[in-house]
Amino acid sequence: MKKKKELLICAIAVLLFLSILFFFHMFCYKQGNWYLIDSSGNLVSKTGYEDCVGVIEIEGEMHFILTRKNRFSPESRFYRETMFVVNKNGEVILQDSTGENGNLNYENFHALFYKGKRVFLDSKGQIIFTVPDNVTLEECYSYRLGMMPFYYNDVANPKYGYMNIDGEVVIEPQFSYAELFSEEGLAAVRDDEGKWGYIDTEGNLVIPQVYDFTLGFDAGFALVEKEHDEYYIDITGRKVLDIDGGVNKEGFTYISNDEGKYACIDLKGNQITDYIFDRTILFKNGYACGCVNGLYGCIDKTGEFVIEPSFEYIGDFSDFGIALAKGKDGLYGYINIKASCMI
């Protein structure tokens, strides 16, 4: 009898030990599929993250916002998802288990969730503003020119205004919708009749609310629509280019012909390329990548090819002068503007 009792105790102890090991295994983070590499393609961190939700700049250095999850299902009380802010060397400088993630980088302010609250960090990663519960911030929690659209979510028929990083109301809620300010100091706002116009940073209506549709200013121009007529205006509201569609990026847009081919023009109406592109093209960081007869190349702002169409795909060039590319062999890597393979 005594021997059976000892065996039973040993069995219970083993089961308990295995249960603890299993729980520990489930509670620990999974090894995800996202890894950090340097510009030479070398692995800088052996940690595999679940997802990359964005990139922010802190004190002049790029940092990655990454997540990790444990093995429990999201419905379990033991489920844990943690956000990590990681520098280029793979070192974690900030982390928090939140279950919800986000980031933005405008004017050295970074917005993310921390302990269930939307907060803003300064360039050193310190919390400088926590968004009140009765405030809803628009435009993906972005700041431009020190202001962000917001509305009070605890009132009937809320109106939009603008708030600064200190949480102070700088333009009183009065619009049915409001968008971010552009670098030109203008923001598109909508009235109760659904008409759009533009205000300055003081809240003054400087371009009348007469448009059915607007986009924000970019390089001094904005696309608007009035009575089914689309055209570009300058910062004074003057019509400068009559064009059907086309998004303005860095002072250029695109037009198409009857054959479905696209060309690139500047906002003075000068055509800088022929109708050679299979799809629409947009400039970013001084270059536009486009598809010609199924192959991708890249032009500069004179319309000249700096990379001849020879890739199956080229993404936008980053601030660091590199772009994701897919070669004819079907493999992906990173190239510079001279089409040299970086990774």
Side-chain angles (χ1 to χ4, degrees):
M1 178 66 71
K2 183 178 179 181
K3 188 173 183 180
K4 288 183 177 180
K5 187 176 181 180
E6 289 175 349
L7 289 173
L8 180 61
I9 293 174
C10 288
I12 293 174
V14 169
L15 286 174
L16 181 61
F17 177 71
L18 292 176
S19 298
I20 293 172
L21 284 180
F22 177 75
F23 180 84
F24 183 75
H25 170 76
M26 293 293 291
F27 193 76
C28 289
Y29 294 119
K30 295 187 294 183
Q31 187 77 348
N33 297 320
W34 284 81
Y35 293 86
L36 291 180
I37 60 174
D38 60 23
S39 59
S40 298
N42 300 314
L43 198 67
V44 298
S45 172
K46 294 181 179 180
T47 301
Y49 292 92
E50 187 74 19
D51 195 10
C52 177
V53 297
V55 180
I56 60 175
E57 183 179 336
I58 299 178
E59 294 187 332
E61 295 288 339
M62 300 308 297
H63 291 68
F64 301 89
I65 297 186
L66 303 155
T67 62
R68 298 190 74 187
K69 300 177 182 179
N70 65 13
R71 294 174 173 83
F72 285 101
S73 70
E75 292 77 25
S76 170
R77 62 179 295 185
F78 300 112
Y79 173 74
R80 180 176 59 160
E81 181 179 6
T82 303
M83 177 200 69
F84 297 85
V85 179
V86 182
N87 65 20
K88 65 180 182 180
N89 298 319
E91 300 165 338
V92 175
I93 66 166
L94 177 70
Q95 74 178 70
D96 185 59
S97 298
T98 62
E100 190 171 4
N101 305 286
N103 77 284
L104 276 163
N105 174 25
Y106 282 100
E107 301 182 352
N108 296 322
F109 299 120
H110 317 301
L112 47 84
F113 275 102
Y114 180 79
K115 295 184 178 179
K117 296 283 188 179
R118 177 68 72 169
V119 301
F120 285 83
L121 308 181
D122 63 15
S123 61
K124 296 182 179 180
Q126 302 298 312
I127 295 176
I128 55 176
F129 175 51
T130 300
V131 180
D133 291 336
N134 70 330
V135 168
T136 297
L137 302 177
E138 283 297 314
E139 292 292 325
C140 300
Y141 304 93
S142 307
Y143 271 87
R144 282 210 193 115
L145 304 187
M147 291 184 285
M148 173 187 290
F150 84 99
Y151 65 87
Y152 292 113
N153 55 40
D154 58 352
V155 299
N157 301 316
K159 298 291 186 180
Y160 286 77
Y162 290 84
M163 178 178 290
N164 66 18
I165 194 63
D166 296 318
E168 301 168 338
V169 176
V170 290
I171 298 177
E172 289 293 331
Q174 57 191 286
F175 310 106
S176 68
Y177 195 81
E179 295 187 346
L180 279 173
F181 277 91
S182 67
E183 296 300 327
E184 290 81 359
L186 299 174
V189 293
R190 187 178 65 197
D191 64 18
D192 292 334
E193 282 70 47
K195 297 295 185 180
W196 291 85
Y198 294 87
I199 60 171
D200 62 18
T201 55
E202 300 295 323
N204 302 309
L205 190 66
V206 293
I207 298 178
Q209 292 171 301
V210 296
Y211 303 107
D212 303 311
F213 170 81
T214 59
L215 289 178
F217 275 87
D218 188 294
F221 303 94
L223 181 67
V224 298
E225 179 183 337
K226 182 179 179 181
E227 298 175 354
H228 305 291
D229 183 22
E230 289 187 352
Y231 52 90
Y232 279 96
I233 59 174
D234 63 16
I235 59 174
T236 68
R238 182 175 63 91
K239 183 177 180 179
V240 294
L241 179 63
D242 197 344
I243 182 175
D244 184 15
V247 178
N248 165 38
K249 289 295 182 182
E250 300 187 4
F252 295 85
T253 186
Y254 52 82
I255 51 177
S256 61
N257 61 14
D258 294 337
E259 285 73 43
K261 293 288 187 177
Y262 293 86
C264 189
I265 65 172
D266 64 25
L267 293 187
K268 295 180 180 179
N270 301 313
Q271 188 172 325
I272 67 168
T273 71
D274 293 329
Y275 290 96
I276 57 174
F277 295 101
D278 302 337
R279 303 178 182 90
T280 58
I281 58 173
L282 294 173
F283 275 88
K284 184 175 181 180
N285 292 320
Y287 300 97
C289 297
C291 184
V292 180
N293 297 325
L295 292 176
Y296 280 79
C298 185
I299 62 171
D300 61 19
K301 290 187 175 181
T302 69
E304 296 294 323
F305 277 101
V306 292
I307 298 176
E308 293 294 329
S310 55
F311 291 85
E312 288 192 9
Y313 173 78
I314 303 178
D316 291 329
F317 277 89
S318 70
D319 297 339
F320 305 105
I322 62 174
L324 177 67
K326 181 181 181 182
K328 292 181 180 179
D329 56 5
L331 299 178
Y332 286 89
Y334 287 88
I335 61 172
N336 60 21
I337 200 60
K338 296 180 179 179
S340 299
C341 184
M342 305 292 294
I343 299 175

